[in-house]
Amino acid sequence: MSSSLVAYDDSDSETETGKTEVPNTSSRQTSHPSSSVNRVQYFAPGGLGTKSTYEMQPTENTDSSGTSTVCEDPPEHYAQNNDTDLTSPYCRRPYSGHTALCMSYKNYEQTSSSSTNSGNGVSQKRIYKDSTTAIKGIRPYIPKRLRQENSSMPKKKESDQSDSSDCDVKLGISGEQTSSKISELIKPYLGSKYKLTEVPKSLIFYMSKHSGPVNEIQWCPVREQSHMLLSASMDKTIKVWDAVDTGCCLKTYSCHSCAVRAACWSSCGRRILSGGFDSMLHLTDVETGKQIFSSKNEARISALKFHPTESNIFICGGFSPEVKAWDIRTSKLLRVYKAAVQQTLDILFLPEGREFLTSTDAVSRDSADRTIIAWDFQSAAKISNQIFHERYTCPSLTLHPKESMFVAQTNGNYMALFSAQRPYRINKKKRYEGHKVEGFAVGCEFSPDGTLLVTGSSDGKVFFYNYHTARIICTLSAHKEACVSAIFHPVLPSLLATCDWAGEIKIWQ
């Protein structure tokens, strides 16, 4: 008589093994016919964790050694050649005349355990089945090799995303050619001087992709790339437009979690510095959207300016008594300028960058001696805070392109003219008035030749003043909501961009 070879699971507990081995001792040692049905698991040699349960039933045909058992619908691998020598360490080579029984020790779960009946001592067989349900709080075991393979995939994806872009960038029409393109309309003016500025009258482009008020717009300072227009909005986004040829949005940057209050180009035209009400500072690459510099500020940011000669240094201010200077090369704070104020409204560098001005909200009942403060950039010392003595705050400052003068927009519905040299005296003979501010952060700007002074108005109009006579030359009904900014193109004569509190941007010529 010969005995069949059966492989048992080594991972079972000793108690379970002891209970199940006792009633089966005679069946393993003898080959007499049995009317009971035996369940055996088959495992495919090539697939880990692949299991099937088959029933072993007695057959009518018997050989000299006794009744042999066969499997109903066994796997094809074993049906074709049962005598093949399997090299798997978990399989045993069968004896002749018997069916090979192979079991795997990997990746299965025990769904029911054996239990012994107290009355007759009959044991119930253990049945192993695939189960996708996991016990709460218990994680299934994963081999080390599979853990390494699975863990390497998300790390690669995360590293690729961090290297490619740290900012959510959406491309517009022809957004891939943002900086490489040179407008055909700008090329004829690159080698010549700026001509005389005329008052624009006709609307060229109407752009309304922003869903919130536009706080600031700025042309790219690089002459060859000056077809691009930057806009910062209360809808948490920054957009770059082709405002000369098509009027389409090239790219949208969503780096901030709150409203973007201030944004400006770097001198090279390849980066955008932005700050907002989320107290974050971001320096973003225009092409890739990668954040070159990021810093969390203590207060909300409302004003940003790059140094005119040192392109790696910028100054920021906001809802704080401090104004800070940063170096983007080291990502470190250079200096802190402290003043007894609550908010910085605007920042203006004077020629050569040795001194700069800040406009604040410090207004007392009788005077406003700290409304405009002059600072020494290197020593962080106050040069003067007795510049503007009237009881109005100044939401914006602008410098004359040719003369040593600057203009301050006031909430008194007029613009005041000052000297850009010490002691920064006000020109009492000239006052540019006629427009309305009424609490809005309305900006003002000189034309590139310095002959015109343009400003927005809370009633949606654009006012053009003669710089020398301070008289109104023309008004333009540009918007229905408050017009908060109007700027001339640095190369193309008489090309004007305006924006309003409703999120609209318009180009005029």
Side-chain angles (χ1 to χ4, degrees):
M1 296 178 65
S2 62
S3 60
S4 61
L5 180 62
V6 180
Y8 286 90
D9 185 10
D10 292 343
S11 62
D12 295 335
S13 62
E14 295 179 1
T15 58
E16 292 177 347
T17 305
K19 292 180 182 179
T20 57
E21 285 180 355
V22 172
N24 292 333
T25 303
S26 60
S27 63
R28 291 198 312 269
Q29 294 179 353
T30 62
S31 59
H32 293 289
S34 176
S35 61
S36 62
V37 178
N38 300 325
R39 290 185 178 271
V40 182
Q41 280 191 336
Y42 279 86
F43 291 81
L48 296 178
T50 305
K51 302 174 288 298
S52 302
T53 304
Y54 301 94
E55 292 184 355
M56 303 297 294
Q57 297 180 355
T59 59
E60 297 177 357
N61 298 330
T62 59
D63 53 7
S64 59
S65 60
T67 303
S68 63
T69 58
V70 297
C71 176
E72 292 184 356
D73 299 330
E76 294 180 1
H77 180 81
Y78 301 102
Q80 293 176 1
N81 187 6
N82 290 336
D83 296 333
T84 304
D85 186 8
L86 301 179
T87 58
S88 172
Y90 304 110
C91 297
R92 307 287 180 87
R93 186 171 182 175
Y95 293 100
S96 60
H98 292 274
T99 306
L101 303 178
C102 299
M103 297 189 68
S104 172
Y105 294 128
K106 291 187 177 181
N107 301 332
Y108 66 88
E109 296 180 357
Q110 180 177 353
T111 58
S112 63
S113 60
S114 62
S115 61
T116 305
N117 295 333
S118 59
N120 51 12
V122 178
S123 63
Q124 296 179 354
K125 295 294 182 180
R126 296 186 301 273
I127 301 176
Y128 298 90
K129 295 182 180 180
D130 290 335
S131 177
T132 57
T133 61
I135 301 176
K136 184 177 181 182
I138 300 178
R139 293 183 299 177
Y141 173 78
I142 301 175
K144 183 177 180 181
R145 178 178 57 82
L146 296 179
R147 290 199 305 267
Q148 292 176 349
E149 292 178 357
N150 296 335
S151 62
S152 62
M153 295 301 294
K155 288 182 179 179
K156 290 182 179 180
K157 292 181 180 180
E158 291 176 1
S159 61
D160 295 341
Q161 291 176 358
S162 61
D163 293 339
S164 61
S165 176
D166 295 335
C167 181
D168 186 11
V169 181
K170 296 181 180 180
L171 295 178
I173 301 176
S174 302
E176 298 83 357
Q177 302 176 355
T178 305
S179 62
S180 60
K181 170 188 172 182
I182 300 178
S183 174
E184 296 295 333
L185 298 176
I186 297 177
K187 284 182 179 180
Y189 295 93
L190 293 178
S192 59
K193 294 182 179 180
Y194 188 88
K195 297 181 181 180
L196 182 65
T197 303
E198 297 180 359
V199 176
K201 297 180 180 179
S202 59
L203 178 64
I204 298 178
F205 297 120
Y206 170 78
M207 303 175 290
S208 61
K209 296 249 178 168
H210 280 296
S211 59
V214 179
N215 291 317
E216 192 168 357
I217 54 176
Q218 185 182 13
W219 294 102
C220 181
V222 181
R223 293 170 61 87
E224 292 79 8
Q225 302 172 12
S226 58
H227 64 283
M228 294 188 294
L229 180 70
L230 170 69
S231 63
S233 174
M234 299 288 283
D235 62 0
K236 309 177 186 179
T237 63
I238 303 167
K239 292 183 183 292
V240 175
W241 309 79
D242 183 355
V244 173
D245 295 322
T246 62
C248 297
C249 179
L250 298 177
K251 288 189 177 183
T252 301
Y253 306 90
S254 302
C255 301
H256 293 271
S257 59
C258 293
V260 184
R261 180 59 183 86
C264 61
W265 293 94
S266 63
S267 59
C268 62
R270 296 192 298 266
R271 300 170 182 176
I272 296 174
L273 179 65
S274 60
F277 289 166
D278 57 355
S279 304
M280 289 298 298
L281 286 168
H282 293 304
L283 183 66
T284 308
D285 186 89
V286 175
E287 291 297 330
T288 63
K290 183 178 180 180
Q291 295 178 8
I292 303 172
F293 169 84
S294 292
S295 177
K296 177 72 174 179
N297 206 29
E298 297 177 356
R300 292 179 293 177
I301 299 169
S302 59
L304 292 170
K305 282 295 186 301
F306 271 105
H307 194 278
T309 58
E310 300 181 23
S311 58
N312 294 310
I313 297 176
F314 69 90
I315 290 182
C316 70
F319 292 79
S320 170
E322 297 179 349
V323 177
K324 299 179 180 180
W326 292 84
D327 191 339
I328 61 177
R329 293 169 295 186
T330 60
S331 301
K332 292 183 178 180
L333 186 65
L334 291 180
R335 299 175 192 89
V336 177
Y337 309 85
K338 296 183 179 180
V341 297
Q342 295 181 354
Q343 181 183 358
T344 300
L345 302 178
D346 199 8
I347 300 172
L348 176 66
F349 272 101
L350 297 179
E352 299 180 0
R354 297 177 182 176
E355 302 170 359
F356 69 93
L357 306 172
T358 58
S359 62
T360 67
D361 65 343
V363 178
S364 62
R365 183 177 61 180
D366 298 328
S367 64
D369 56 350
R370 296 184 304 275
T371 303
I372 300 177
I373 303 175
W375 301 86
D376 183 86
F377 176 74
Q378 294 294 335
S379 64
K382 292 181 185 178
I383 299 175
S384 177
N385 60 357
Q386 304 290 327
I387 299 175
F388 186 55
H389 297 280
E390 300 187 25
R391 294 174 296 172
Y392 302 109
T393 57
C394 302
S396 65
L397 306 171
T398 185
L399 187 67
H400 195 277
K402 295 183 178 181
E403 298 182 9
S404 184
M405 305 292 291
F406 73 90
V407 167
Q409 178 81 270
T410 71
N411 276 307
N413 298 331
Y414 69 90
M415 292 180 288
L417 183 65
F418 298 86
S419 172
Q421 297 179 354
R422 300 181 186 180
Y424 315 108
R425 292 178 179 174
I426 186 173
N427 190 337
K428 297 182 179 180
K429 296 181 180 180
K430 291 183 180 180
R431 177 177 287 190
Y432 306 88
E433 56 185 346
H435 60 284
K436 297 179 181 179
V437 178
E438 295 179 348
F440 287 94
V442 177
C444 55
E445 191 79 20
F446 281 102
S447 62
D449 59 356
T451 59
L452 296 180
L453 178 61
V454 61
T455 179
S457 180
S458 61
D459 56 4
K461 295 181 180 180
V462 179
F463 285 76
F464 299 90
Y465 293 91
N466 186 301
Y467 165 67
H468 298 286
T469 63
R471 294 180 179 177
I472 298 176
I473 299 176
C474 181
T475 59
L476 181 65
S477 298
H479 301 274
K480 296 180 180 179
E481 298 291 334
C483 179
V484 295
S485 183
I487 54 173
F488 281 102
H489 193 275
V491 178
L492 296 176
S494 306
L495 187 67
L496 183 73
T498 61
C499 65
D500 68 354
W501 201 246
E504 298 177 352
I505 300 175
K506 295 183 179 180
I507 309 299
W508 307 81
Q509 190 176 14

